[in-house]
Amino acid sequence: MVLHFLIKGRVQGVGFRWFVHREASELDLKGWVRNTEDGHVEVVAAGDPEGLAELRTSLNKGPRGSRVDSVIEHELAESEGEALSSFKIEGAW
């Protein structure tokens, strides 16, 4: 199962990407997280439905110091997950 999330709120400059990376890695999910130019955070994650459900719960909470206003979710085709490797932060450096 492959899901795309767009998280809106105060999610940049509060360690959100690192939080997502830790949560997704612990759940053994594949994919990536990155900031968007318009101040949101975008996530693509692939894995089993249970792990993705746990990630969804974490995304709605966010790390301390963040404020999650909304999480927009779309299911992607399984083929979208074929090229994904271990979970990474894009544009972190």
Side-chain angles (χ1 to χ4, degrees):
M1 183 173 207
V2 184
L3 296 177
H4 174 268
F5 299 96
L6 184 64
I7 303 97
K8 298 182 176 187
R10 190 173 70 203
V11 293
Q12 288 192 9
V14 293
F16 206 98
R17 290 175 299 163
W18 300 100
F19 168 81
V20 173
H21 180 267
R22 185 183 71 239
E23 296 291 316
S25 295
E26 287 177 5
L27 295 167
D28 202 29
L29 298 175
K30 295 179 179 181
W32 50 262
V33 58
R34 67 181 175 203
N35 285 339
T36 66
E37 289 183 12
D38 52 359
H40 309 312
V41 169
E42 183 179 23
V43 177
V44 170
D48 62 76
E50 295 80 17
L52 290 167
E54 286 189 47
L55 180 63
R56 179 186 302 113
T57 298
S58 295
L59 294 177
N60 278 286
K61 291 180 189 173
R64 190 173 59 185
S66 70
R67 185 192 73 245
V68 176
D69 294 336
S70 66
V71 177
I72 300 167
E73 177 182 334
H74 300 296
E75 187 169 347
L76 301 176
E78 286 294 321
S79 60
E80 296 281 339
E82 291 171 3
L84 298 175
S85 58
S86 60
F87 208 88
K88 63 183 178 182
I89 299 173
E90 291 194 343
W93 316 112

